[in-house]
Amino acid sequence: MKIKRREIFAGSAVAVLMMTTAACGGSDNYGGKAPAVQPVGDTKQVGAGAGSGYGDPYGSGSGAAPAGSADKSGPAGELKVSEIQGLGSGVTDSAGITLYRFDKDTPKPAKSNCEGDCAAAWPAVAANDASVSAGIDAALLGSVERSDGTKQLTLAGWPVYRYAKDVKAGDALGEGVGGTWHVLGPGGKPAGAGKGAAAGAEKEEKEEKPAEAAKDGELTAVQNPELGTLVEDAEGKTLYRFDKDSAWPMKIGCVDACTDTWKPAKPVDKNKVSGIAPELIGKVKRPDGTEQLTIDCWPVYSFTGDKEPGDTTGHNNKGLWFAITDKGKKAKVVG
């Protein structure tokens, strides 16, 4: 009798393992509906009226909209170069409100990867009626079409945002949030030497190695336009769960040749995650004695078929592998 060489999942190969965390399977406590995304430039503030307020998977605040917040999704008017405390020269709108860029976006081609909850906390700046003052090259201005069909302002190809928690001119509370958000510099790069600026520079120049600013063991919740809120590791790789694993009781179904394609993710410090409830982060000991990261008690993996940060080519693979959400659930299947 022939035996398949890849992904052998015989019952005898499935190891039932002891968990290192307690009370698995309680992810329903962390469910919730993401605020709707309003069109860029709409008179209603993005996310306004949603019960979860500014549910920011990239920030660390309480999630409530700040008192006195004005519309953050309208046109920027005349962009100006202003001095941002601790950073030097940064770009602000005509009212002096600080503008930002997101390292997980791309400038060439211009593309925004901030949707859903992310867009509620980081309102996209409308592309209409933008101009520049001294210190900013007008040729760097542009626009990109968002998933809802609206136009977002770009500078040097980078989509431009405001931060919901900045309430007055000169505020720069969004600098360094999640290690991926930075005050926008006049040339499109991160202002000054802000946290993670090296990562943005590397991405902008299309270097293939992981950003040096990323720390081993970090996890980040990111918004995928089609699949919803997914989890990426420190190198930007999408993480997955496997239907032949089990969260409770804990079982590992991917062993031996399976791990040549699906790499068990290493455990992380739950204090170094962004956008994922720390109590959902755990680890499990595998049959070979190594430890593997779990999210809501589901063992998680990266896929060797994903070549670029943000790739999701492993999603719905064989109807068994699915990108994992920030709640430990399977991402939806589209198409």
Side-chain angles (χ1 to χ4, degrees):
M1 180 177 67
K2 293 183 178 180
I3 299 176
K4 292 183 180 180
R5 297 178 59 190
R6 310 278 303 175
E7 298 195 7
I8 302 173
F9 304 115
S12 59
V14 178
V16 181
L17 302 169
M18 294 293 292
M19 292 191 317
T20 58
T21 57
C24 289
S27 62
D28 289 344
N29 294 332
Y30 305 101
K33 203 168 185 180
V37 179
Q38 299 295 329
V40 175
D42 189 79
T43 54
K44 183 178 180 182
Q45 189 171 10
V46 175
S52 56
Y54 290 84
D56 176 13
Y58 301 89
S60 57
S62 65
S69 293
D71 175 27
K72 294 272 187 3
S73 60
E78 185 181 56
L79 273 61
K80 301 180 290 186
V81 178
S82 302
E83 284 299 306
I84 308 296
Q85 186 173 4
L87 294 174
S89 297
V91 179
T92 61
D93 66 13
S94 57
I97 299 299
T98 302
L99 302 179
Y100 297 87
R101 49 167 274 176
F102 182 34
D103 282 351
K104 292 185 181 292
D105 289 346
T106 57
K108 297 179 181 179
K111 184 178 185 301
S112 170
N113 288 308
C114 181
E115 304 282 353
D117 282 355
C118 175
W122 301 91
V125 177
N128 53 306
D129 299 328
S131 61
V132 299
S133 61
I136 303 174
D137 185 352
L140 297 180
L141 292 182
S143 66
V144 62
E145 185 171 331
R146 293 177 59 80
S147 61
D148 61 2
T150 57
K151 298 287 187 180
Q152 180 176 0
L153 179 67
T154 63
L155 183 68
W158 288 96
V160 179
Y161 306 84
R162 297 182 180 93
Y163 186 40
K165 295 180 182 178
D166 287 347
V167 295
K168 64 182 185 300
D171 282 353
L173 301 177
E175 170 59 34
V177 169
T180 54
W181 289 94
H182 305 290
V183 173
L184 186 64
K189 294 183 179 181
K195 181 181 178 182
E202 285 178 359
K203 184 173 184 179
E204 194 165 350
E205 296 182 5
K206 298 186 176 181
E207 294 185 14
E208 296 183 358
K209 63 182 180 179
E212 293 179 3
K215 299 177 183 178
D216 291 338
E218 285 185 344
L219 296 181
T220 304
V222 299
Q223 192 69 23
N224 182 286
E226 294 184 342
L227 304 181
T229 306
L230 306 182
V231 179
E232 291 182 356
D233 67 11
E235 296 181 0
K237 290 184 177 180
T238 301
L239 297 180
Y240 298 86
R241 50 175 276 185
F242 181 39
D243 271 2
K244 291 195 176 183
D245 287 346
S246 174
W248 187 256
M250 180 69 76
K251 295 180 181 179
I252 297 288
C254 181
V255 296
D256 301 326
C258 174
T259 59
D260 293 340
T261 302
W262 301 91
K263 301 295 185 182
K266 295 181 179 179
V268 303
D269 182 343
K270 63 178 61 182
N271 295 314
K272 294 183 179 179
V273 301
S274 178
I276 309 152
E279 55 266 36
L280 296 183
I281 304 300
K283 60 184 178 180
V284 63
K285 184 170 287 187
R286 293 181 54 79
D288 62 4
T290 60
E291 292 184 328
Q292 182 175 0
L293 171 69
T294 63
I295 299 178
D296 195 30
C297 300
W298 281 96
V300 292
Y301 306 79
S302 60
F303 179 46
T304 57
D306 287 345
K307 302 303 181 183
E308 299 291 335
D311 281 354
T312 56
T313 60
H315 184 57
N316 199 27
N317 186 291
K318 298 183 179 180
L320 294 171
W321 292 91
F322 300 91
I324 195 166
T325 73
D326 58 322
K327 306 295 190 296
K329 304 292 188 182
K330 293 187 290 188
K332 62 185 177 181
V333 176
V334 295

